[in-house]
Amino acid sequence: MARATRSKPAPKEPTPEPTPSTTKPLPKATPNPPKLFIFPKDTSNDARIVTLDNPATSAPSRYFFCPSKGFYEFTRIAAPKKACRSWLITSKDAKSAQGVEAPQNQAEKKGEEEEGDADTGLGSGYVTKNADLFLATPIDLLFLILPALTPKSAKEEKQHFLALDDYIEKLASVSGHWKTLLVQNPSLTALLGKKLRIICDTVDAGDETMYRLSHAKLLSVLLKKAQRMVKIGLPLSLEDKFVKSALDVPVMSIRREESSLSAVASESGASTPAGGDSQASTTAPDAQSQATDLTTTPDDPDLPSKPTLETPEAIPHLLRLRTALTYLISSYLPPTLQLPISTLLAASTAPDFTPLTTHLAAIAKLKSEAAALRSISDNISRKRGLEMDEEKIAEREEKKRKKEEEERRKKSESLGVKKLRKVDTSGMKKMSAFFSVKPKAK
């Protein structure tokens, strides 16, 4: 008898060693990543970033100061949150690939770039997580000195005439950078005096001039700046949100065949359906009568149409001017000055915003009427949809009831009846044929 032999297992192949990865791991995120700034051209070597109080919020903010160009504020430009954006920042000495280099020089160039980047601390580059851009835009020195000219609280209504040195001491006490700037730049002190003469009432006390803030002069300066903004053109964000949307007149004339209320007339004239409440039949004609005034067009000669509100030519300019003034007051004036300047602007006649107020009130009235019409239309369409849903529900319940009765009848049948159901009775007579009346003999 032959013996069963077992085959020896095949020798295991040695597992290959993993090849080391040539990709460099990403460095850890730094707690203070670099930011990207855009500064003006041809600035002085003494230009610097200083910390001064924001005039509207009194919070310490960064500003760019150049002795020859003045002050700049930083405007943050950020990408939308849904968009994934980032910045790739390299050192100034890094060479960009603008041409083809000789093969023998590429290794030497690469070594020089790595050495230069190592000195700056950026390596071969830096990728920021957020694609934020800080743009330096000019700001009038007048707004930066307003906190020193206004009282700290609304209770301190009385203001006194003070000399230029007194205001300089106030600025120096608020921020140490103000003191440094005024000491290192004597021309800045003369510029402060010019700005004070523009927005202040002056009194000569001997050889010295005393200054006190004038709300009327400040409003005149703001008005000139707002007119310049309107002449240049408001930003698209302000134009779309505060001008175009505010002047949009709602569509009050809708063709009868396009309106969801066109079917109300036929339904309201008919009798109340069975099971319907009498209140719905009485409110439908009222809704139809309200819709008649708001849903007809000039194409229908029998029913008048509501005239469309036209916007005069001067209204958009006034709205842009008021939007610019509101932006300047809320963004660059201290809180203690915003209410007095706004009150003075409302009482002034130059410019006169009365036509703008009247026109906006008319648009608001039309919008309220359109909203009321829309709510009536929604209620009627919702009610009609509910009635249709009730009919469908009743039809489904009837089908379900018949199906349940059929199932109960089949369950109650005997076994013999169920077997007889399977018999082919196509050639057989029915039992009723044997019990029919015998025909009379002729």
Side-chain angles (χ1 to χ4, degrees), residues 14 16 25 37 97 130 146 168 179 205 212 259 264 284 295 342 403 416:
F37 291 85
N130 300 323
L146 278 179
I168 290 176
K179 184 177 181 181
R212 185 179 66 181
S259 175
V264 177
T295 60
S342 300
K403 185 178 180 181

Side-chain angles (χ1 to χ4, degrees), residues 59-287:
S61 303
R62 301 286 187 179
Y63 295 92
F64 180 74
F65 172 71
C66 177
S68 59
K69 293 182 175 293
F71 287 87
Y72 291 80
E73 63 177 343
F74 291 109
T75 303
R76 179 173 172 265
I77 302 174
K81 293 183 178 180
K82 295 182 179 179
C84 299
R85 297 288 186 270
S86 59
W87 285 113
L88 174 59
I89 303 175
T90 61
S91 63
K92 187 177 180 181
D93 297 332
K95 308 297 182 181
S96 59
Q98 297 178 354
V100 179
E101 299 179 353
Q104 62 271 15
N105 296 333
Q106 287 183 359
E108 298 178 2
K109 293 283 184 180
K110 185 177 180 181
E112 293 177 0
E113 290 178 3
E114 291 180 353
E115 292 178 1
D117 293 338
D119 296 338
T120 58
L122 288 177
S124 59
Y126 186 89
V127 179
T128 60
K129 184 184 296 185
N130 300 323
D132 295 344
L133 179 66
F134 296 90
L135 181 64
T137 55
I139 182 174
D140 197 342
L141 175 61
L142 180 146
F143 296 119
L144 297 177
I145 63 176
L146 278 179
L149 303 177
T150 57
K152 295 181 180 180
S153 61
K155 297 180 180 179
E156 301 177 8
E157 298 179 357
K158 190 175 181 180
Q159 297 182 8
H160 301 280
F161 285 91
L162 297 176
L164 177 59
D165 295 337
D166 296 332
Y167 290 117
I168 290 176
E169 289 181 2
K170 281 188 175 183
L171 291 174
S173 63
V174 172
S175 173
H177 286 188
W178 265 121
K179 184 177 181 181
T180 304
L181 292 177
L182 292 171
V183 171
Q184 295 180 354
N185 302 277
S187 60
L188 186 58
T189 304
L191 185 59
L192 281 175
K194 291 181 180 180
K195 295 296 181 181
L196 290 178
R197 292 188 187 93
I198 296 174
I199 59 174
C200 293
D201 296 328
T202 59
V203 172
D204 293 333
D207 297 337
E208 195 172 15
T209 304
M210 313 291 285
Y211 304 92
R212 185 179 66 181
L213 179 65
S214 172
H215 292 172
K217 290 185 177 181
L218 178 58
L219 179 59
S220 177
V221 172
L222 293 177
L223 183 59
K224 291 179 181 178
K225 291 182 179 295
Q227 290 174 348
R228 194 182 308 121
M229 288 176 62
V230 173
K231 185 178 180 180
I232 297 174
L234 295 180
L236 292 178
S237 57
L238 294 179
E239 182 76 20
D240 293 340
K241 186 175 182 179
F242 297 102
V243 179
K244 289 184 179 180
S245 61
L247 295 179
D248 283 342
V249 180
V251 179
M252 303 299 295
S253 297
I254 307 174
R255 292 185 180 276
R256 182 176 295 277
E257 58 270 13
E258 295 177 356
S259 175
S260 61
L261 299 176
S262 59
V264 177
S266 60
E267 292 182 3
S268 61
S271 59
T272 306
D277 55 351
S278 60
Q279 186 178 1
S281 62
T282 57
T283 55
D286 296 337

Side-chain angles (χ1 to χ4, degrees), residues 247 315-316 318-319 322 352-361:
L247 295 179
I315 295 301
L318 288 176
L319 183 55
R322 194 175 74 173
D352 187 12
F353 292 109
T354 304
L356 174 62
T357 305
T358 305
H359 185 74
L360 292 180

